[in-house]
Amino acid sequence: GLIWAGGYGGGVQRHNTGNTAFRVRGPEGPVGGVLQDANFRAVLELADGRLWLGTQENGVAILDADLHLLDAIRPQPERADGLGAGRVTGLAQTRDGRVWLGGDAGLYRYDLTTGRLRAYRAGQGRARRLLADPNGDLWIATEDGLFRHSYRADRIERLSAENGDPVSGDINALALDSAGRLWVGTENGLAVLEAGATHLRRLRNDSGTGLRHALVLGLLIDSKDQLWVDTPEGLHRMTAFDGAQAEFDAVSLRLGIAGRPFGANLLEDDNGRIWTHLFVFDPASGEVHELTQADGVDIGTGWFRAYQRSRDGRLLFGGSRGLLVVDPARFRPSNYAPPLVVTELKVDGESVAPGLFEQGLSLHPGQRSFSVEFSALDFSAPERCLYQYRLQGYDSRWNDTDANFRVAAYSNLAPGQYRLEIRGSNRSGEWNPQALALDIRVLPAWWQHWLFRSAMVVLASLMVWLLVHLRTRYLHQRRQLLEVKVAARTAELEAVSQALQEKSLALEEASVTDPLTGLRNRRFLSQHIDTDIALSIRQHEAQLRLGHAAVGCDLIFFMIDIDHFKQVNDLHGHSAGDAVLVQMTERLRLVFRDSDYLIRWGGEEFLIVARATDRSYATILAERARRQVAEHAFVIGDGLTLAKTCSIGFAGFPLQPEHPRALAWGDVVDVVDLALYAAKRAGRDGWVGLQTTPGSAIGGEIKRRLPTLLREDRIRVLSSLPIDSVLAGLGDPDAG
């Protein structure tokens, strides 16, 4: 029942006429129009039913309930009363009917009657989420803490904690419950402001029953007045709260989808299901469904904090390629049962007719293996299909596999009767009740018959008895002679053992040392770094639990490369190159401590691990190393000297101090390597360092995602070289 369309340049596209639950409001209009990009960072439904959509850089698009464009508020940074440039990331309408806008350019109040904007100031950071409460006040969650605009006094005040300190840092989510409590999701956990109180109270987080991650991304108060919380480890539901500490049910962990956010943009439909642009979860049935392009959810990157439930029950989610409009009442998970077919049958690696699958397969003596390739014919999202297979008579349970490896293979089976069963699922993970089955018979060779084996057992027993008897006589005769020799050899072996121990220690030292420079090699680092990594993580986590910033417990990785080293070998010979490397070693030892790891990484590259150090010293050490190379010529023999420079990349471990276990040390070395090559591309004779901004959640695959992380200011650059050249070298010339 699907429609497939193929065209020039567009590939193959699929349309499901039965999918009426999802609609995407995409781009339209002329170049430069407010909807040309359709990159929506904030969503708001006004009291009159109109929709306001905050965009990436085109201001605010105003739509009617049927998503037709009515008007726009375009950026006019040149005007004193105009909207500033940049993202619009927060929208709210207060009780007086005025609309508030927050984003890169600051905070604004818009009067629907006059169409005039008034600018306000709320801290130093961008507004991330706005919430209007019933009494007319406005809550403002920013990158610089939590603020409140008083309706009566028309002024903005910063909220403070119980100890009187102002609340600072990223505030990601806000929610009001029926008791008037304001729940606040921060980069360091969950906080609450009781009704009528003036100070926020941060909740204690027990490791057994609390949130599985301190960073709160999303909040929802559902129709039963229950609190739902989303973190980088997934969805949680609050089950108990005593005023100071809350207990949570780790929903994502229980559903097997932990280790990633549930989607942050938490909304509830009329049936009590919890939605984001990534998942839908039914607490009543316990079922969860992941939403993908196969379901019609095709909005590019779904932006956190860009969501709204409309008065008619529709759920709206903003993304980088459009607005997702969900009609929850029409949603039905895929129940298509795709046919399961055999695509290839092999015996001893040679393909045979797949028709044998229905007839049964016999393996004759000499045929040692067979394999069956299979596929569930769900073309909407074949990569999401799951498979299980088992060979009755051999396997005690089902073997799980996925679309990446759709093969069941067996070899060296004992003679006998077997039955191979295979089953598959659709894209939603529902198993097709119709399974494939193949009867397999492994025929015995002549030597595998029971009569032959019985005769061999009897003969073997006789041979063993005879051998034991002869061996016993021989050993009795040799015992006395051996006793004499043992005494003499014992003394010799003790001397040899001592010598071997000394040589073993020397060989072990040589195996972890570079013979030219005397520095340690990669093998040494792999043997010792894990202990230092574990110690650094424990120290950071201990300081985080106490609420202190970690000091003096970082590991700083430096990658140093001698600029244009190949010219030394080409112009002066390899002996001159060796002399430069040896002198480079001496200069590095002048900069770094004896306790630091100095590694000959390969060729002219050196890796240094500064242990038990504060990352704030990284730039000082990098500059010292650069100057030691640039300001002192290298002596290469015969009275000749060479002036050389070096390029340096560095980063600290953990890369994210607030989340010390988020990345392995190997990931940090990859980051350092990127920084080194950025320094070389930016002109050499300098250093480049990469560090995360406070509160940023980075995750893996940094090398691929680095341009995006730079644009979003989740990774910052430190450098002695021109910053524009460095950013260009990192692959993101516009990130600054």
Side-chain angles (χ1 to χ4, degrees):
L2 306 179
I3 296 175
W4 296 80
Y8 293 104
V12 178
Q13 301 182 55
R14 178 180 63 88
H15 173 59
N16 182 359
T17 58
N19 178 14
T20 58
F22 300 101
R23 175 187 174 190
V24 175
R25 178 54 161 97
E28 72 168 32
V31 174
V34 68
L35 290 180
Q36 176 204 354
D37 194 21
N39 191 346
F40 301 128
R41 302 300 295 256
V43 182
L44 173 67
E45 183 186 39
L46 268 59
D48 60 11
R50 289 182 297 171
L51 293 178
W52 283 38
L53 304 178
T55 72
Q56 176 78 4
E57 55 187 21
N58 291 329
V60 177
I62 303 175
L63 282 63
D64 63 16
D66 294 324
L67 306 182
H68 299 135
L69 181 63
L70 299 175
D71 201 354
I73 302 174
R74 303 303 299 273
Q76 295 179 302
E78 70 280 0
R79 293 182 49 177
D81 60 345
L83 179 64
R87 296 167 290 184
V88 176
T89 54
L91 293 169
Q93 185 177 27
T94 48
R95 191 178 64 180
D96 59 5
R98 291 168 173 166
V99 182
W100 292 79
L101 302 80
D104 292 342
L107 182 67
Y108 299 87
R109 188 179 70 184
Y110 183 83
D111 192 311
L112 293 174
T113 303
T114 64
R116 298 178 64 85
L117 277 171
R118 176 181 173 185
Y120 287 80
R121 185 174 184 84
Q124 302 298 320
R126 169 169 54 96
R128 302 169 71 87
R129 184 71 173 158
L130 304 179
L131 176 66
D133 68 15
N135 66 11
D137 289 348
L138 178 73
W139 299 97
I140 308 156
T142 77
E143 296 173 324
D144 185 32
L146 180 64
F147 298 81
R148 174 171 55 193
H149 173 265
S150 172
Y151 168 70
R152 294 178 178 83
D154 191 22
R155 74 168 180 272
I156 293 178
E157 59 182 358
R158 180 191 288 270
L159 271 293
S160 59
E162 285 183 312
N163 59 5
D165 293 338
V167 177
S168 60
D170 284 348
I171 306 296
N172 297 313
L174 302 171
L176 274 169
D177 64 17
S178 61
R181 282 188 294 249
L182 178 71
W183 296 90
V184 182
T186 78
E187 61 183 357
N188 295 315
L190 188 63
V192 63
L193 181 69
E194 297 288 350
T198 58
H199 298 289
L200 277 173
R201 180 169 65 255
R202 191 174 300 279
L203 272 61
R204 300 194 306 273
N205 194 46
D206 182 82
S207 59
T209 59
L211 298 175
R212 300 187 69 246
H213 199 288
L215 175 60
V216 175
L217 299 174
L219 295 173
L220 169 69
I221 301 294
D222 67 12
S223 56
K224 299 178 181 178
D225 214 30
Q226 296 181 112
L227 176 66
W228 298 81
V229 182
D230 193 24
T231 77
E233 284 296 320
L235 185 64
H236 300 72
R237 180 177 62 87
M238 190 170 73
T239 58
F241 177 57
D242 62 4
Q245 181 171 324
E247 296 182 1
F248 291 90
D249 170 23
V251 177
S252 287
L253 180 64
R254 179 162 47 81
L255 296 175
I257 57 172
R260 57 179 293 194
F262 191 75
N265 301 333
L266 303 176
L267 291 173
E268 181 188 21
D269 66 16
D270 291 336
N271 293 320
R273 293 177 295 187
I274 307 300
W275 289 77
T276 69
H277 59 284
L278 300 179
F279 290 99
V280 54
F281 169 59
D282 188 346
S285 66
E287 295 181 351
V288 63
H289 299 282
E290 185 173 2
L291 305 177
T292 67
Q293 290 186 8
D295 298 294
V297 179
D298 189 9
I299 57 172
T301 299
W303 298 120
F304 288 177
R305 296 173 291 279
Y307 64 109
Q308 174 81 55
R309 171 173 167 155
S310 66
R311 290 171 179 80
D312 60 7
R314 292 180 299 174
L315 310 180
L316 311 175
F317 300 97
S320 61
R321 294 206 302 263
L323 177 71
L324 175 65
V325 183
V326 182
D327 186 347
R330 296 176 179 267
F331 173 69
R332 300 291 184 274
S334 173
N335 59 359
Y336 174 62
L340 187 63
V341 299
V342 172
T343 54
E344 189 171 40
L345 177 62
K346 289 184 177 181
V347 175
D348 283 348
E350 298 292 332
S351 295
V352 299
L356 291 177
F357 199 91
E358 290 78 16
Q359 303 170 11
L361 179 64
S362 293
L363 295 183
H364 299 282
Q367 294 179 322
R368 302 174 58 84
S369 65
F370 75 94
S371 64
V372 178
E373 183 185 78
F374 42 83
S375 180
L377 304 184
D378 185 347
F379 298 116
S380 65
E383 73 281 357
R384 296 181 59 80
C385 294
L386 303 175
Y387 301 91
Q388 289 183 331
Y389 65 89
R390 66 181 176 186
L391 186 62
Q392 291 188 358
Y394 182 81
D395 291 324
S396 59
R397 58 180 181 83
W398 289 97
N399 298 291
D400 297 308
T401 188
D402 56 25
N404 295 316
F405 191 74
R406 299 171 288 101
V407 176
Y410 294 89
S411 61
N412 297 321
L413 294 173
Q417 296 286 343
Y418 302 90
R419 185 177 180 83
L420 178 63
E421 294 180 334
I422 306 169
R423 64 183 186 182
S425 78
N426 62 9
R427 71 169 190 260
S428 296
E430 294 184 5
W431 295 103
N432 188 336
Q434 301 297 324
L436 291 175
L438 171 63
D439 291 319
I440 300 167
R441 183 184 180 194
V442 180
L443 301 175
W446 63 269
W447 45 268
Q448 291 178 309
H449 284 280
W450 71 271
L451 286 175
F452 177 81
R453 291 185 174 182
S454 299
M456 289 298 99
V457 170
V458 173
L459 181 59
S461 299
L462 291 174
M463 291 295 295
V464 169
W465 178 85
L466 180 60
L467 288 173
V468 170
H469 179 71
L470 294 175
R471 183 67 174 169
T472 301
R473 289 185 58 189
Y474 174 76
L475 292 175
H476 182 72
Q477 294 171 358
R478 295 284 296 174
R479 183 180 62 189
Q480 292 181 342
L481 179 61
L482 289 175
E483 288 177 351
V484 174
K485 291 183 177 181
V486 164
R489 290 299 299 248
T490 298
E492 296 177 6
L493 289 173
E494 289 177 350
V496 171
S497 176
Q498 180 64 29
L500 286 175
Q501 289 180 8
E502 295 173 357
K503 290 181 178 180
S504 177
L505 291 175
L507 287 173
E508 176 63 24
E509 180 66 17
S511 70
V512 296
T513 303
D514 176 59
L516 174 63
T517 63
L519 297 179
R520 299 301 190 180
N521 58 21
R522 293 191 183 210
R523 185 167 183 262
F524 174 88
L525 183 67
S526 64
Q527 290 177 349
H528 293 79
I529 191 64
D530 288 340
T531 301
D532 295 273
I533 292 295
L535 176 60
S536 178
I537 290 174
R538 287 198 303 271
Q539 291 174 332
H540 273 84
E541 290 179 339
Q543 295 299 320
L544 287 173
R545 285 193 294 271
L546 295 173
H548 299 159
V551 177
C553 52
D554 294 322
L555 299 173
I556 305 177
F557 289 79
F558 296 85
M559 189 78 77
I560 302 177
D561 183 272
I562 302 174
D563 295 331
H564 303 299
F565 178 80
K566 185 175 182 297
Q567 295 178 358
V568 179
N569 289 330
D570 293 343
L571 298 177
H572 304 284
H574 288 279
S575 61
D578 290 347
V580 170
L581 292 174
V582 171
Q583 294 171 59
M584 183 70 177
T585 300
E586 297 169 356
R587 297 178 187 188
L588 291 177
R589 284 177 170 149
L590 294 174
V591 175
F592 296 98
R593 302 168 298 183
D594 293 340
S595 60
D596 296 333
Y597 295 149
L598 276 65
I599 309 296
R600 173 91 180 275
W601 198 243
E604 68 273 23
E605 285 190 349
F606 299 82
L607 178 70
I608 293 89
V609 183
R611 305 165 65 199
T613 304
D614 193 279
R615 64 187 64 215
S616 61
Y617 294 115
T619 56
I620 298 173
L621 293 173
E623 179 61 18
R624 288 178 182 172
R626 187 199 67 79
R627 294 179 62 182
Q628 276 293 333
V629 176
E631 296 178 0
H632 303 85
F634 291 82
V635 180
I636 60 173
D638 297 330
L640 294 177
T641 60
L642 283 178
K644 301 301 292 180
T645 61
C646 68
S647 299
I648 304 172
F650 65 84
F653 180 90
L655 192 62
Q656 306 173 69
E658 300 94 337
H659 314 293
R661 297 182 183 271
L663 293 173
W665 69 271
D667 297 319
V668 176
V669 173
D670 290 341
V671 170
V672 173
D673 195 57
L674 291 173
L676 169 63
Y677 282 96
K680 297 183 78 67
R681 295 189 186 105
R684 297 183 169 88
D685 189 23
W687 43 264
V688 173
L690 297 178
Q691 68 177 21
T692 60
T693 56
S696 296
I698 300 299
E701 301 181 347
I702 290 182
K703 186 174 184 179
R704 178 177 62 81
R705 297 169 53 231
L706 183 59
T708 300
L709 297 174
L710 287 168
R711 283 194 297 272
E712 295 178 353
D713 198 25
R714 290 196 277 168
I715 286 188
R716 295 177 179 168
V717 179
L718 306 173
S719 181
S720 63
L721 296 165
I723 192 65
D724 290 341
S725 300
V726 173
L727 291 173
L730 289 169
D732 190 23
D734 299 325

